[in-house]
Amino acid sequence: MKDEQITIYIDNQPIEAQKGDNLLQVARDNKIPVPGLCYHKKLSPTGACRLCVVKIEGQRGVVMACTVTIDEPMRVTVFDEELESARKQTLNYLLAEHDDTTDNTYEDELAFWAEKYDLSDPERRSYPSILSAVGAKKDDTSPVLTYDAGKCIKCFRCIKACDEVQGKNVLSFASRGITSYIVAGLDMWSESECDGCGECVQLCPTGALVERPHRQELRLDKIEKKVRTTCPYCGVGCQLELWIQDGKIVRSNGVEGVSPNDGRLCVKGRFGLDFVSSPHRLTTPLIKKNGIFVEASWDEALDLIATKFSAIKQQHGGDALAGYSSAKCTNEDNYMFQKFIRMAFGTNNIDYCTRLCHASTVTAMLRSIGDGAGSNSIEDFATTDCLFVTGNNIIETHPVTATYVKNGKYNGNSIIVCDPKWTPLVKYADIWLQPRLGTDVALLNGMMHVIINEGLVHQRFIRERVDRGMETFEELKILVEKDTPAYTEEITAVPKDKIIAAARMYASAPTAMLATGMGLSQQVTGTNNVFSLINMMLITGQIGKERAGIDPPRGQNNVQGATDVGCSPIIFPGYIPVDDDDNRKRVAAIWNVPVESLSAKAGLTTVEIINAAYDEKIKGMYIMGENPMLTDPDLNHTEKALKKLDFLVVQDIFHTDTTPYADVILPASSFAEKEGTFVNSDRRVLRVRKALEMPGEAREDWHIVQEIGRRMHVDLGNFTHASDIFDEMAKTAPIFGGINYQRIEYKGIQWPCPTAEHPGTRTLFVEKFNTPNGKAKLNPVAYVAQAEKPTKEYPFILNSGRILYRYHTATMSRRNKSLTAFAN
Ligand code: SF4
Ligand code: SF4
Ligand code: FES
């Protein structure tokens, strides 16, 4: 039994351990400094460096502590003369073939132990160096790292980091004996499948593998501070430790031991942050005068904005104004922005990029299970028995979540990939379903036909947890009756045997999760696709328990948070509909405004806002950190609409494709220059911390919003720090009710967390769904042939997708040499 407590003795000191614990780890956790270089608690033990030798009473000889699993009481000797002498001898061997020179750019555990054992000075060592005879292979072909065999102690940590943590299997040893060295792929790093995640670098103990970017300038003794924060790229929300030197980020490490990444990063989080100190950052407000942008003071810019917006409101009403908030900004920025739109403009015309990616998924999830957020935790991707990934290129879009998926695969869990095009995850899939574009509903209905026919339906779950229970199930059953595997194959082109196998695999797994994505939602039938998926989940009872449910990983870093805090035309902070009178009264009291001043009318979505601008009904817009001139589906239409606006403000950190259409451009702060929070894909509220000063006159987004509000005679709150905004947000949005900055100082909390005592919610829907009666709803949908069919005139279907090295509109990722080197 893993949890059984055992008392062991280490150098006569009694220590409590649990059965199954690693002896070396237990010793170190109890502050016993057992030497060792090849062990890392994230990796399986190797026993390669032989520094952790110990004696265990009753066992012959010495053993490596890192290879011992505690399963019975034991008496261990860590330090005695014989063991210390053996360690010193081992270090002597390692140092004889080691290059001691250092450029002070990496932390060197071997040098640390050499000093402890008085071997720093070569004169004090037992053996002369044989380094020149061995020869030190070097590889500096990777854009992001260098390898130097002269510093390599062959500890296996990099190989295991690549295999066991990141699941990539790129590294191995070449050659034999003391001339062996680490090789990526068949030979050179640049020719290998290495995608630059840098896990190997982070876990290398000796400086054999070192980051390449900033190596020329980085010096350990010049590092001013190390700041923990949250990655600004995707919705995984990886925890970073930024190393700051000379006012710049010179290194980014993953933070070990905390969710969601436990030290893991992808190439963007580790090597993609140079955009912050790009010389192209916006540094001063710009006002367009006679068609040319000229620098302006903040007062001039803010006064102009307030005057113009106020005039439009007075002349055309608040509904003639609209705002786009940003999935890249913090919750605090977004909260202030929606408050501004609702209080200063007096409208609910607020939306952002989520409308064009996740809205159909969220719509289906809200109607079926009452919540659009992911059910599970990111770590659950490693432990669910079966993962069904559909329309989601997870390895490139959410690389660290994908590492957990691969961990699960290596642990024997099953993966079904459903995608018309090949994605890297196909290599790991047990079954790859490759339906014709637009036939998802047909495929899912076909799978449900098999599930029903083979008696794999979870009847108790349907009776207890689904609205109208078996009655609604019967309707679904009738609907899919005709969808036999053969019929489904005809429509989808997926062989019927695969349809049957996938249906069995998903339905009969003890636990199964669905990872859906843009491929499913960005279709005319997007909402129906997700309804079908949820139907399959509900009739098999693959939700409402740990490691089961539906998870649409969020694209950008704070897509989840921006909606959570109310950047939506139909909901207030905390997902409460704008027409809920009681909530409006409650919010009006918190915001200290008359309830009548808060509109109960649903606002316009992004698509509707652009259409209304085109129709000259929207006259003024405020865009914070969005780039519709690249993200909108019909750019000609968007361009015409933006040109028709009387007044446009764009607030960003760079010039974008949208800024040329602005009347005023405001320079904002990047993630590294402000305090705040993001919410990641598993609803985890994570801290963002200020590591750097803003360039030039740039300001924090929420602060700019607050200032415009003040000039429009609207009091958005006398906030001086982001934490004050969070505290108000926690009052306004009950899902954050129990969270504050103190509670998330060390690790994030997953909402809902309604009270100060609540630990947060790891898995949604375990007891009930978020619908009015607590039950889920089946929404049977029939297959309808795709509207976007090839024609003679347009014979191709173009399908968009992501690559690992680029992000969103590439505003940030394009400004990094390392990412560009990989992308090209
Ligand atoms: S490169 Fe580093 S991590 Fe890899 S075997 Fe050599 S010393 Fe160990
Ligand atoms: S997986 Fe996402 S959050 Fe993590 S480092 Fe990469 S881009 Fe950043
Ligand atoms: S740490 Fe145990 S053998 Fe290396």
Side-chain angles (χ1 to χ4, degrees):
M1 243 184 32
K2 167 94 176 98
D3 293 339
E4 201 179 312
Q5 284 284 121
I6 296 180
T7 303
I8 64 168
Y9 289 84
I10 300 182
D11 288 341
N12 294 323
Q13 180 187 335
I15 284 172
E16 293 301 310
Q18 284 186 355
K19 217 170 183 179
D21 280 351
N22 178 284
L23 176 58
L24 178 58
Q25 191 60 49
V26 167
R28 286 182 175 175
D29 288 347
N30 285 278
K31 311 223 174 323
I32 299 169
V34 189
L37 288 167
C38 65
Y39 174 78
H40 191 283
K41 65 179 169 187
K42 272 201 310 200
L43 309 174
S44 64
T46 307
C49 76
R50 306 187 69 78
L51 284 179
C52 68
V53 279
V54 294
K55 294 173 187 165
I56 298 177
E57 197 174 272
Q59 292 191 23
R60 286 179 57 191
V62 295
V63 291
M64 305 309 130
C66 66
T67 63
V68 175
T69 301
I70 299 171
D71 51 14
E72 57 186 1
M74 52 177 70
R75 298 191 83 90
V76 184
T77 303
V78 171
F79 295 109
D80 69 13
E81 209 173 304
E82 189 184 7
L83 291 168
E84 286 290 85
S85 158
R87 289 186 186 118
K88 192 162 185 173
Q89 183 69 345
T90 303
L91 280 168
N92 267 308
Y93 288 138
L94 289 174
L95 290 164
E97 53 189 78
H98 187 258
D99 176 1
D100 286 340
T101 56
T102 177
D103 60 1
N104 201 18
T105 61
Y106 53 88
E107 282 162 353
D108 189 340
E109 293 177 39
L110 177 59
F112 172 84
W113 290 115
E115 193 183 338
K116 284 265 171 218
Y117 284 84
D118 194 22
L119 294 171
S120 298
D121 181 354
E123 296 294 318
R124 303 193 64 81
R125 297 177 190 168
S126 305
Y127 310 107
S129 174
I130 55 167
L131 183 67
S132 56
V134 175
K137 188 100 175 157
K138 289 191 169 63
D139 186 340
D140 58 3
T141 60
S142 162
V144 293
L145 58 86
T146 58
Y147 171 70
D148 180 354
K151 298 189 187 329
C152 177
I153 57 166
K154 288 95 178 178
C155 70
F156 280 92
R157 262 159 68 157
C158 54
I159 295 176
K160 290 194 169 186
C162 191
D163 295 359
E164 295 176 4
V165 180
Q166 291 273 342
K168 291 173 183 160
N169 308 318
V170 176
L171 305 182
S172 55
F173 277 118
S175 190
R176 292 283 173 104
I178 57 170
T179 58
S180 66
Y181 60 95
I182 295 292
V183 67
L186 292 176
D187 188 8
M188 287 193 300
W189 235 279
S190 56
E191 302 291 313
S192 74
E193 282 189 76
C194 171
D195 64 11
C197 72
E199 188 82 35
C200 57
V201 178
Q202 182 156 325
L203 296 195
C204 175
T206 64
L209 284 162
V210 182
E211 287 98 334
R212 200 168 168 182
H214 300 290
R215 193 166 180 185
Q216 295 304 321
E217 72 227 64
L218 188 154
R219 294 293 171 266
L220 290 185
D221 54 346
K222 297 230 166 76
I223 298 297
E224 290 146 24
K225 55 184 172 179
K226 296 178 181 177
V227 180
R228 197 175 137 189
T229 190
T230 302
C231 178
Y233 280 106
C234 86
V236 180
C238 291
Q239 296 300 284
L240 314 176
E241 183 189 69
L242 304 181
W243 293 20
I244 307 300
Q245 181 185 313
D246 300 329
K248 269 190 353 198
I249 300 167
V250 289
R251 185 161 292 168
S252 168
N253 279 340
V255 180
E256 301 283 351
V258 289
S259 292
N261 53 315
D262 190 15
R264 306 162 190 223
L265 293 179
C266 79
V267 65
K268 293 193 288 293
R270 196 180 296 278
F271 299 113
L273 306 178
D274 286 349
F275 71 89
V276 172
S277 24
S278 160
H280 302 296
R281 285 283 301 271
L282 290 169
T283 55
T284 181
L286 300 168
I287 296 177
K288 196 184 267 171
K289 291 182 180 165
N290 300 322
I292 294 168
F293 285 109
V294 293
E295 292 189 0
S297 70
W298 273 104
D299 278 340
E300 191 186 352
L302 295 173
D303 284 343
L304 175 67
I305 293 167
T307 306
K308 289 284 188 180
F309 282 154
S310 299
I312 292 172
K313 186 179 173 186
Q314 201 172 14
Q315 202 181 343
H316 303 283
D319 286 342
L321 292 161
Y324 277 6
S325 66
S326 173
K328 289 197 272 290
C329 289
T330 61
N331 293 317
E332 291 75 1
D333 294 331
N334 281 299
Y335 176 81
M336 287 293 277
F337 192 81
Q338 60 84 36
K339 194 174 173 185
F340 169 83
I341 298 291
R342 294 190 157 111
M343 279 174 59
F345 286 0
T347 179
N348 287 312
N349 290 342
I350 172 166
D351 209 359
Y352 67 110
C353 67
T354 193
R355 185 67 42 201
L356 299 173
C357 54
H358 261 296
S360 42
T361 305
V362 171
T363 304
M365 288 175 70
L366 282 173
R367 285 201 217 148
S368 303
I369 52 181
D371 207 314
S375 331
N376 305 95
S377 298
I378 284 171
E379 291 96 331
D380 294 341
F381 282 85
T383 54
T384 186
D385 297 286
C386 175
L387 183 67
F388 187 98
V389 183
T390 171
N392 181 346
N393 179 5
I394 200 165
I395 288 186
E396 301 203 69
T397 57
H398 295 81
V400 166
T401 302
T403 65
Y404 290 104
V405 175
K406 290 183 243 168
N407 297 161
K409 175 67 187 169
Y410 293 136
N411 286 334
N413 302 332
S414 317
I415 300 176
I416 304 166
V417 172
C418 178
D419 210 308
K421 62 180 185 188
W422 185 91
T423 69
L425 191 65
V426 168
K427 281 194 288 186
Y428 302 83
D430 295 273
I431 300 172
W432 176 25
L433 306 171
Q434 201 181 1
R436 283 194 184 103
L437 277 169
T439 61
D440 303 83
V441 169
L443 178 64
L444 291 160
N445 283 354
M447 285 177 69
M448 281 187 269
H449 176 100
V450 175
I451 288 165
I452 293 167
N453 242 25
E454 300 202 357
L456 298 172
V457 169
H458 197 318
Q459 295 204 12
R460 186 167 52 80
F461 182 88
I462 298 173
R463 274 197 297 272
E464 291 173 4
R465 307 278 316 257
V466 176
D467 192 34
R468 291 176 48 237
M470 294 308 284
E471 187 189 335
T472 177
F473 169 72
E474 286 303 322
E475 290 160 14
L476 176 73
K477 186 176 167 185
I478 292 166
L479 179 87
V480 301
E481 199 138 345
K482 64 173 188 323
D483 300 315
T484 61
Y487 176 71
T488 306
E489 177 175 340
E490 255 177 57
I491 298 173
T492 64
V494 178
K496 56 181 184 296
D497 293 348
K498 281 196 179 181
I499 297 168
I500 295 167
R504 286 176 184 160
M505 188 176 276
Y506 175 79
S508 58
T511 61
M513 280 163 50
L514 300 168
T516 167
M518 301 300 102
L520 203 67
S521 59
Q522 286 179 334
Q523 298 181 32
V524 172
T525 56
T527 304
N528 278 0
N529 294 346
V530 182
F531 274 143
S532 282
L533 196 66
I534 294 173
N535 291 341
M536 182 172 78
M537 173 180 78
L538 292 174
I539 65 167
T540 52
Q542 292 292 17
I543 191 166
K545 55 188 176 185
E546 301 293 333
R547 301 182 291 121
I550 175 165
D551 295 86
R554 294 304 195 233
Q556 294 194 72
N557 52 332
N558 201 30
V559 184
Q560 182 66 53
T563 313
D564 295 348
V565 303
C567 292
S568 160
I570 53 167
I571 52 160
F572 269 38
Y575 295 92
I576 306 173
V578 290
D579 60 2
D580 181 324
D581 291 341
D582 289 342
N583 185 58
R584 248 189 5 275
K585 274 187 209 140
R586 193 181 64 84
V587 173
I590 296 169
W591 292 357
N592 201 20
V593 291
V595 64
E596 315 77 59
S597 69
L598 298 178
S599 173
K601 187 176 110 187
L604 301 178
T605 63
T606 49
V607 177
E608 291 165 341
I609 288 170
I610 291 298
N611 287 343
Y614 185 83
D615 294 338
E616 299 183 24
K617 289 182 182 143
I618 292 284
K619 303 281 185 186
M621 269 188 84
Y622 183 3
I623 297 177
M624 176 177 79
E626 287 276 292
N627 188 7
M629 272 309 296
L630 201 56
T631 53
D632 271 15
D634 182 350
L635 294 183
N636 291 327
H637 178 64
T638 302
E639 182 180 34
K640 284 178 195 150
L642 294 183
K643 280 182 172 171
K644 287 186 180 189
L645 289 172
D646 289 350
F647 193 65
L648 172 64
V649 176
V650 178
Q651 181 171 310
D652 214 307
I653 62 172
F654 291 110
H655 277 290
T656 67
D657 307 75
T658 305
T659 51
Y661 301 87
D663 295 284
V664 180
I665 302 171
L666 300 175
S669 53
S670 79
F671 85 108
E673 296 145 4
K674 58 185 164 191
E675 301 288 333
T677 52
F678 294 151
V679 184
N680 75 344
S681 293
D682 67 5
R683 300 166 277 106
R684 204 177 297 261
V685 184
L686 298 156
R687 278 287 270 119
V688 176
R689 292 187 181 83
K690 181 177 169 116
L692 296 169
E693 293 304 322
M694 284 168 266
E697 295 176 32
R699 290 186 182 178
E700 285 179 83
D701 293 80
W702 68 261
H703 185 67
I704 301 170
V705 174
Q706 190 182 38
E707 277 297 303
I708 299 173
R710 200 168 61 76
R711 284 166 159 84
M712 290 179 75
H713 310 294
V714 170
D715 180 7
L716 296 174
N718 190 23
F719 304 115
T720 53
H721 191 271
S723 65
D724 303 334
I725 302 173
F726 191 96
D727 291 343
E728 182 182 295
M729 209 160 74
K731 277 193 219 144
T732 316
I735 53 172
F736 295 139
I739 306 177
N740 57 41
Y741 276 26
Q742 289 75 40
R743 284 194 76 191
I744 55 172
E745 182 60 26
Y746 176 64
K747 60 178 186 167
I749 295 179
Q750 289 165 283
W751 68 252
C753 175
T755 62
E757 300 72 40
H758 196 286
T761 307
R762 194 183 149 80
T763 308
L764 290 181
F765 317 127
V766 172
E767 277 161 19
K768 62 183 182 62
F769 293 97
N770 285 354
T771 49
N773 66 1
K775 296 202 174 190
K777 200 168 173 339
L778 283 175
N779 289 282
V781 282
Y783 165 67
V784 179
Q786 191 182 31
E788 314 97 330
K789 278 197 174 143
T791 62
K792 266 194 180 160
E793 203 184 348
Y794 297 103
F796 299 110
I797 294 180
L798 298 182
N799 198 339
S800 63
R802 283 241 173 105
I803 61 168
L804 174 64
Y805 309 101
R806 283 288 175 254
Y807 191 72
H808 204 235
T809 62
T811 317
M812 302 181 329
S813 56
R814 180 167 10 108
R815 292 182 165 95
N816 292 277
K817 273 194 205 146
S818 310
L819 298 185
T820 300
F822 273 111
N824 294 341

